[in-house]
Amino acid sequence: DDRSRWTLGWDNLSKLQEFEEKAKNIDEKYEFILKRLKEHKERLNTIEVKRDNLRDVLKYESFEQINWYRYSKQIDNLQSEKEELQKSDDIIKTLQNKLQDVMVEQETKQQELSEILQHIGTLKQKLEDTTLKYNHAKLLLENGELEDGIKQKLDDLKDELLKHNLSLVNIVSSQRSVREHIKKQLDKTNEQVKNISAKIISHQNSYMTTFPILAKELYVSVESSGEFIKKLDELKKDNLPKWQKRFKELLKEKTIQHIVMLQNLFEKSTNYIKEKISTINLSLADIEYSEGTFIELVATLSSNSEIKEFKQTLKQITTGSIDENNTYDEQKFLQIKTLIERFNGREGKVDIDKKWKKLVSDVRNWFDFSAIEKYMSDGSQKEYYAHSGGKSGGQKEKLAYTVLASSLAYQFGLEHDKIQSRSFRFVMIDEAFGRGSDESTKYALRLFEKLKLQLLVITPKQKINVIEPYVKSVHFVHNQDGMDSS
């Protein structure tokens, strides 16, 4: 009949209430047990205290060992007896007073003795220090460690500052007077040295700032003054001011003029490329690239940082004019010097400078070349070709023929709609049109014809029907068994 074991129906509320009732009963029982346990612990502590007290009592074998009252009574009796004796006998009191006086006097004498001994120790220490200084001074004089000049100066100071003979009595005050005088002289001299050093540093800084190239191996400090004097002697020997005017003339009339000529040459080559691209584009505009379109070549200035920096350097060198400002002259000279060093190849960077020189001195590298496919009807853009990536085989082939024919026309110097019957414009193409489409082949032949290029085409027989309208003469080559061409 335990309700906690019942499982009836779908509702377990009664079962949960039974468990909660049991838990409550257990908690009450638990609290009751804790309370009983606490009471037993307190009772146990009381019993343990009584046990310890009884154990301590057992240490004493008789009552006399703890009879404090008897001893206290004896002390009181003796104290009373002492007081009676002191009241009845004045001699004891007198002796006690004398004893007190003697003890005070003894303490005073003891203190005086301590002070005397301390004074004696101080005098002994002073005597030892004085003896040590005396022996040291005597040793210096006997060994001649003082230079004659210093000794003479000390004698002069003694005669100047001291109006009395030296003795142990006045040696300390005399020493103080001489030391203070020397310190004043030292402070004055140090101040002069400080001012002079500041002027030297100022002049060195001025030189370093004005002539950084000449001073690149020097550093600013008073200690390095010798190096500056050495450099001054070299400059006096070279007599550079004598050649300053001539240097300016050469820098302006020769060096910078040559840089200007080089810059003009680059600009002329740049304009030449632009003109040639324009000329080729005139021919390409008349050739149908695909249905209703033509190709236009585009040359934009390169974004290469080294090329842009080189062009900027040339501009800086040739911009402005040389005046009487030496800093400006030196700046121009340093720019030109750095440029020439890179062209010649700097030590440890020859390969890098060689690549740089090849890059910046070839004007073709100054451009990024691309192509635009435009509609013939209105000239609007259809497609932009920075490269042939992502294009089909036919598109790549046609674009390659366009670039090839344009570059050949550029090399031969051909011009649009201008007949040059006696000019050299011969092109030989091996394995031509072997794998390309008929459309690409026809486009290439029209392109070469339009650009007035003379062709020798070596091609398999299967393309004869395509190239026939463009052929003036044919040579057939046969190779029997692959051993003998005829």
Side-chain angles (χ1 to χ4, degrees):
D1 61 353
D2 185 357
R3 295 177 63 87
S4 66
R5 298 182 179 272
W6 294 358
T7 309
L8 299 177
W10 296 99
D11 190 357
N12 61 354
L13 179 61
S14 59
K15 188 173 182 177
L16 289 174
Q17 289 175 349
E18 184 67 25
F19 278 127
E20 289 173 353
E21 187 66 27
K22 277 190 174 185
K24 183 178 180 181
N25 293 335
I26 291 171
D27 288 340
E28 291 176 354
K29 188 175 180 180
Y30 175 70
E31 292 294 333
F32 175 75
I33 292 172
L34 285 180
K35 183 177 180 182
R36 291 290 305 277
L37 181 61
K38 183 177 180 182
E39 291 173 354
H40 283 296
K41 283 185 177 180
E42 291 176 353
R43 182 182 175 194
L44 178 62
N45 290 335
T46 303
I47 294 172
E48 287 178 348
V49 171
K50 290 180 178 181
R51 179 200 62 191
D52 294 339
N53 291 336
L54 290 173
R55 185 188 299 129
D56 292 338
V57 169
L58 292 176
K59 293 179 182 179
Y60 302 99
E61 296 179 356
S62 65
F63 177 74
E64 291 299 323
Q65 291 179 280
I66 59 173
N67 187 10
W68 60 271
Y69 180 76
R70 186 187 69 172
Y71 296 106
S72 176
K73 190 65 176 175
Q74 288 178 356
I75 292 172
D76 290 340
N77 293 334
L78 291 173
Q79 187 67 29
S80 299
E81 185 179 353
K82 178 183 176 183
E83 291 176 357
E84 289 294 330
L85 288 172
Q86 288 178 344
K87 289 179 181 178
S88 61
D89 195 351
D90 292 336
I91 298 175
I92 295 175
K93 188 175 182 179
T94 303
L95 291 175
Q96 284 180 341
N97 292 335
K98 287 186 177 181
L99 177 61
Q100 187 69 27
D101 295 338
V102 170
M103 291 177 65
V104 171
E105 185 179 0
Q106 182 184 10
E107 185 178 354
T108 304
K109 297 296 183 182
Q110 188 68 34
Q111 185 175 357
E112 292 177 357
L113 177 62
S114 177
E115 293 176 355
I116 292 172
L117 292 175
Q118 185 177 359
H119 184 62
I120 291 173
T122 304
L123 292 176
K124 285 183 177 181
Q125 184 63 42
K126 287 184 178 180
L127 179 61
E128 291 178 1
D129 294 341
T130 304
T131 304
L132 184 63
K133 292 178 181 178
Y134 171 75
N135 292 333
H136 179 67
K138 184 179 180 181
L139 187 63
L140 286 176
L141 293 173
E142 291 177 351
N143 294 338
E145 294 184 15
L146 285 176
E147 298 179 4
D148 293 338
I150 296 177
K151 188 176 180 181
Q152 182 61 43
K153 288 182 179 179
L154 289 175
D155 291 338
D156 294 341
L157 282 174
K158 184 185 72 172
D159 296 337
E160 178 183 352
L161 300 175
L162 304 179
K163 307 303 181 183
H164 49 71
N165 295 325
L166 290 175
S167 65
L168 287 176
V169 176
N170 59 32
I171 187 68
V172 176
S173 59
S174 301
Q175 183 187 31
R176 188 183 303 111
S177 300
V178 174
R179 180 182 288 113
E180 289 176 355
H181 177 79
I182 294 175
K183 186 177 183 304
K184 289 180 181 179
Q185 294 297 322
L186 280 175
D187 291 342
K188 183 179 179 181
T189 303
N190 287 334
E191 186 65 26
Q192 292 175 349
V193 171
K194 183 179 178 181
N195 294 334
I196 294 173
S197 299
K199 291 181 180 179
I200 292 174
I201 296 296
S202 176
H203 287 300
Q204 289 178 347
N205 279 322
S206 176
Y207 176 77
M208 297 280 284
T209 304
T210 308
F211 306 103
I213 297 299
L214 294 176
K216 63 181 180 180
E217 296 181 355
L218 301 174
Y219 61 94
V220 175
S221 71
V222 177
E223 291 74 13
S224 62
S225 298
E227 296 297 325
F228 280 89
I229 294 173
K230 184 178 179 181
K231 177 65 70 174
L232 176 62
D233 294 338
E234 292 177 0
L235 293 174
K236 288 180 177 178
K237 182 179 179 181
D238 295 339
N239 195 15
L240 290 180
K242 176 182 177 182
W243 305 100
Q244 186 175 15
K245 183 178 179 181
R246 179 60 176 162
F247 169 77
K248 289 184 179 180
E249 292 175 355
L250 291 176
L251 181 64
K252 182 177 181 180
E253 297 175 5
K254 300 294 181 181
T255 308
I256 294 183
Q257 285 183 5
H258 290 167
I259 297 295
V260 172
M261 291 171 61
L262 177 64
Q263 188 180 34
N264 291 336
L265 180 61
F266 284 139
E267 291 180 357
K268 183 178 179 181
S269 300
T270 301
N271 294 331
Y272 180 74
I273 290 176
K274 292 179 180 178
E275 291 172 1
K276 284 298 178 182
I277 292 293
S278 299
T279 302
I280 293 171
N281 282 334
L282 290 175
S283 300
L284 293 177
D286 296 337
I287 303 172
E288 191 174 42
Y289 180 73
S290 59
E291 186 176 354
T293 66
F294 68 96
I295 285 292
E296 181 178 288
L297 300 181
V298 179
T300 56
L301 292 178
S302 173
S303 58
N304 183 278
S305 59
E306 290 185 322
I307 293 176
K308 291 174 69 175
E309 182 182 354
F310 173 69
K311 293 164 68 176
Q312 183 65 26
T313 301
L314 290 180
K315 184 177 179 181
Q316 290 175 353
I317 292 175
T318 56
T319 300
S321 59
I322 301 296
D323 54 20
E324 296 302 321
N325 190 324
N326 292 331
T327 304
Y328 188 67
D329 292 349
E330 187 171 2
Q331 182 181 357
K332 294 285 186 185
F333 171 76
L334 292 176
Q335 289 176 332
I336 297 172
K337 180 174 179 291
T338 303
L339 187 64
I340 293 175
E341 285 177 348
R342 291 201 71 178
F343 272 114
N344 291 334
R346 296 166 295 178
E347 184 177 355
K349 298 182 179 180
V350 176
D351 293 337
I352 297 175
D353 289 344
K354 187 177 180 181
K355 292 180 181 178
W356 173 84
K357 176 183 176 182
K358 185 177 181 181
L359 174 69
V360 302
S361 61
D362 190 342
V363 181
R364 291 174 295 182
N365 296 325
W366 291 21
F367 293 93
D368 290 327
F369 296 98
S370 56
I372 300 177
E373 185 178 357
K374 294 184 175 181
Y375 290 104
M376 288 183 171
S377 59
D378 58 1
S380 60
Q381 178 177 322
K382 178 184 179 182
E383 193 165 356
Y384 177 79
Y385 301 95
H387 50 75
S388 62
K391 308 301 178 185
S392 65
Q395 286 178 313
K396 291 182 179 180
E397 191 174 13
K398 290 176 68 176
L399 196 59
Y401 283 137
T402 303
V403 175
L404 174 63
S406 302
S407 62
L408 290 171
Y410 169 78
Q411 291 292 339
F412 289 142
L414 304 181
E415 297 182 18
H416 178 62
D417 290 339
K418 184 176 181 180
I419 299 176
Q420 295 174 312
S421 58
R422 299 188 63 82
S423 64
F424 183 79
R425 52 190 189 278
F426 177 74
V427 180
M428 181 174 70
I429 306 178
D430 191 16
E431 297 291 340
F433 318 124
R435 297 180 181 178
S437 64
D438 292 350
E439 180 186 355
S440 299
T441 301
K442 290 178 182 179
Y443 170 77
L445 290 169
R446 290 197 307 270
L447 183 62
F448 281 105
E449 181 183 33
K450 189 68 178 177
L451 294 175
K452 302 179 180 63
L453 296 171
Q454 298 171 334
L455 293 182
L456 170 59
V457 178
I458 303 168
T459 182
K461 290 183 292 183
Q462 63 264 30
K463 290 293 183 181
I464 291 295
N465 63 317
V466 180
I467 68 174
E468 181 180 358
Y470 304 92
V471 174
K472 183 175 181 181
S473 60
V474 176
H475 294 269
F476 179 76
V477 179
H478 179 64
N479 191 348
Q480 184 68 32
D481 299 328
M483 297 297 293
D484 185 17
S485 297
S486 60

